[in-house]
Amino acid sequence: MEGLKVSEASLIVHIHPSKSNQVSKSVLRELSTMLFTYNEVFDGVVLAYDVNSLDKCAKILPGVFPYFGVNLKVNLLLFSPKPDMLLEGKVVKLTHESIHVVVLGFASAIITEKDIRAEFVYKMKHGQEVYASNSHKRHVIKVGTTIKFLVKSFDEEMLHVYGSLVPDNTGSIHWLDKKLEVVSHSDRSIKKRENDGQPLMSDKDALDGEPSTVDTAQKLKKSKKQKLKEES
């Protein structure tokens, strides 16, 4: 999924002198306060961190309370969605005007009616609200469906994504994967036949009445059988 990135950072964590005998725990506690909040410095929501190194030589900072600063290097996993990126999320609510989604278990997303492509129609199916495709019978979006959608904008303060299902490469992940499998299988079959040297009959040949490879093979078998009967 797009919108995720890893950033390496050099930080200074300020520790109170009373925690000088628990530096590691204090550092991790301070880092944990950054989780699931948008950080302007790193331009993203911090999802996880991994401490690479921790400087044992702390520097005492001047002030009323003599805090000391601990230098460390960390890898941060950031959620930073930008317009036109593709995100994945689970549908949690459907209405006639919108589709509501949760991304990565914490960020909310909404796709309004104007950003849902015309092929999807809101209806009740087996007592359940769904958005069903008029173009593809099995392409259905309902509560619990994992969908892929396009980012229009991201509200950093509310951690809210405004999305779109207008592009053809968006919709139910399950259906999109099945569609990709069919296309890939078809491509492999064509390549195999080409490698085997078997001629492919085009739609034009079929319309013009040209015999297919199967028809030709059957006629050859019949002619051989007829020749054997005449010789006997």
Side-chain angles (χ1 to χ4, degrees), residues 88-130:
E88 297 174 11
K90 188 174 182 179
V91 176
V92 293
K93 182 181 177 182
L94 291 177
T95 70
H96 195 277
E97 296 83 18
S98 59
I99 298 175
H100 299 259
V101 184
V102 170
V103 181
L104 296 174
F106 77 95
S108 61
I110 186 171
I111 303 164
T112 58
E113 185 179 14
K114 66 177 181 179
D115 295 312
I116 301 173
R117 62 181 181 272
E119 73 173 89
F120 286 110
V121 178
Y122 176 84
K123 60 176 67 175
M124 294 295 292
K125 190 173 182 180
H126 305 300
Q128 187 177 22
E129 296 173 304
V130 303

Side-chain angles (χ1 to χ4, degrees), residues 211-228:
S212 67
T213 306
V214 176
D215 292 338
T216 304
Q218 288 177 346
K219 288 180 179 180
L220 286 173
K221 286 181 181 179
K222 289 180 180 179
S223 62
K224 285 182 180 179
K225 288 180 179 178
Q226 187 175 357
K227 187 175 181 182
L228 288 173

Side-chain angles (χ1 to χ4, degrees), residues 141-159:
I141 296 173
K142 57 186 178 181
V143 172
T145 300
T146 300
I147 65 171
K148 180 181 291 185
F149 63 95
L150 193 75
V151 176
K152 291 186 65 180
S153 62
F154 177 53
D155 186 326
E156 293 99 353
E157 185 177 348
M158 300 294 293
L159 301 183

